[in-house]
Amino acid sequence: MIVLVADEGVPLEAASRVSLHCAGAESNVAYYLAQLRHRVGWASRVGDDPFGRRLLREFTGVGIDVSEVRVASGERTGVYFKDAPSPGGVYYYRTASAASAMSLDELLPAVHSSPRLHVTGITAALSASSATLLSDLMNAAAGSGVAVSFDVNYRPALWERSEAAPTLARLAKMADTVFVGRDEAEGLWQKDTPDSIRAMLREVPTLIVKDGAVGATAFELGVSSTFVPAPQVAVVEPVGAGDAFAAGYLSAEIRGLGMVERLRLGHLLAAQAIGGHADYAAVPPAHVLENQINLSGEQWQELAIGVADRVV
């Protein structure tokens, strides 16, 4: 979808100008993975409108395969607005968007041609049919031997907790790898510690619990948990950090790196994302990331990322 943000960093009601950016949880992950030189495709449905064309042009420009995106004539691409500098001030206009009418038949070719599928709970929030679609898609992927990663991505502005909590728990238990924020798990399921979240999702092969500036904890079946603290970061805006983290983790996993390195790369990309108002950011050069994920434990503890360290 498209996001609009006030240029002045003031509330929307006082703004005179806005900036327009491409956005969306799954496409954000694809954007980072493409920058990290992975082959990645994005499958969705957009309207035959300026916003849909902007999305396809920008994603194609960074190397994302959009051949499985359907352009729907007469339908509209979803948009949302960020009410900076208010944290959490996000306003969605996605009802009856082109993406909310996606069908399983449209998406299955992408799943069957890929070794991995990444999805998020935001798709389930778009409509009742979208929630069913996501469940069917994950089942189809599992049946084809496709590895499935799922980011819970609970958005209270899109649906009520009473509906979201059981749906997102059920979807999480269908995935091979699950990403969830400690704060969103508390809001959704009243689970406020990594261990309590793990107890609830004990069947998930790999569970990553993110806890903002504190760090991230990984749980694997039959393996002791792994905790990696987050580096010190100057925060401009937190929106998009979770998508960046997921992309960093998945990139490191694809490359065969260990759990500590996976969590570190997730943290490093998240640090880039929270340095601006767009949903995603450029990634540092490969050699910089390589050096940072291989720091000693003490050096990692001392790592601090400020505005001057970010890639623009």
Side-chain angles (χ1 to χ4, degrees):
M1 58 185 169
I2 292 293
V3 59
L4 293 100
V5 187
D7 279 353
E8 299 90 345
V10 299
L12 284 168
E13 63 186 76
S16 58
R17 295 180 302 171
V18 296
S19 295
L20 185 151
H21 305 278
C22 296
E26 298 86 355
S27 54
N28 289 344
V29 173
Y31 191 93
Y32 285 111
L33 289 173
Q35 289 190 80
L36 293 167
R37 305 298 179 88
H38 295 286
R39 293 179 59 196
V40 57
W42 176 61
S44 188
R45 204 163 182 268
V46 301
D48 186 10
D49 56 21
F51 295 147
R53 291 190 288 273
R54 168 73 175 266
L55 289 169
L56 296 181
R57 186 181 72 248
E58 187 158 330
F59 295 156
T60 299
V62 295
I64 298 173
D65 181 352
V66 296
S67 61
E68 297 296 341
V69 176
R70 302 292 182 266
V71 179
S73 177
E75 299 183 32
R76 63 176 180 268
T77 304
V79 300
Y80 81 97
F81 294 80
K82 288 184 183 179
D83 195 17
S86 170
V90 176
Y91 297 88
Y92 292 97
Y93 295 83
R94 305 186 69 172
T95 301
S97 67
S100 68
M102 289 185 294
S103 71
L104 186 63
D105 287 343
E106 289 176 330
L107 298 175
L108 279 179
V111 172
H112 291 152
S113 63
S114 306
R116 292 170 177 266
L117 171 69
H118 180 74
V119 292
T120 83
I122 294 177
T123 299
L126 299 181
S127 64
S129 62
S130 293
T132 300
L133 165 68
L134 188 55
S135 178
D136 291 343
L137 191 67
M138 294 171 74
N139 269 325
S144 298
V146 175
V148 179
S149 53
F150 175 72
D151 195 332
V152 172
N153 257 331
Y154 171 49
R155 295 291 185 268
L158 291 177
W159 53 345
E160 295 295 328
R161 189 194 71 81
S162 58
E163 180 184 3
T167 300
L168 292 174
R170 175 175 55 83
L171 291 168
K173 292 174 183 178
M174 296 170 63
D176 300 294
T177 301
V178 172
F179 301 94
V180 63
R182 188 206 58 77
D183 55 346
E184 67 180 336
E186 183 175 6
L188 263 179
W189 304 311
Q190 288 78 57
K191 307 297 181 183
D192 59 359
T193 66
D195 286 337
S196 64
I197 300 167
R198 181 51 170 173
M200 176 186 167
L201 300 176
R202 58 184 177 276
E203 309 97 326
V204 176
T206 302
L207 171 67
I208 311 299
V209 180
K210 303 165 293 178
D211 193 6
V214 176
T217 304
F219 297 91
E220 301 174 274
L221 294 178
V223 179
S224 298
S225 62
T226 302
F227 173 77
V228 171
Q232 301 173 55
V233 181
V235 179
V236 174
E237 183 186 292
V239 176
D243 304 327
F245 184 98
Y249 177 94
L250 292 172
S251 175
E253 181 186 37
I254 292 167
R255 291 160 55 196
L257 301 183
M259 185 57 74
V260 169
E261 289 77 15
R262 297 178 199 179
L263 297 178
R264 284 185 175 185
L265 188 54
H267 284 315
L268 291 173
L269 293 199
Q272 296 293 319
I274 61 181
H277 293 295
D279 253 30
Y280 49 72
V283 303
H287 72 275
V288 173
L289 292 174
E290 194 74 24
N291 289 339
Q292 290 178 329
I293 65 174
N294 289 316
L295 292 173
S296 68
E298 183 177 348
Q299 290 171 322
W300 178 263
Q301 292 276 4
E302 296 174 351
L303 182 62
I305 300 173
V307 175
D309 301 309
R310 293 196 176 91
V311 177
V312 296

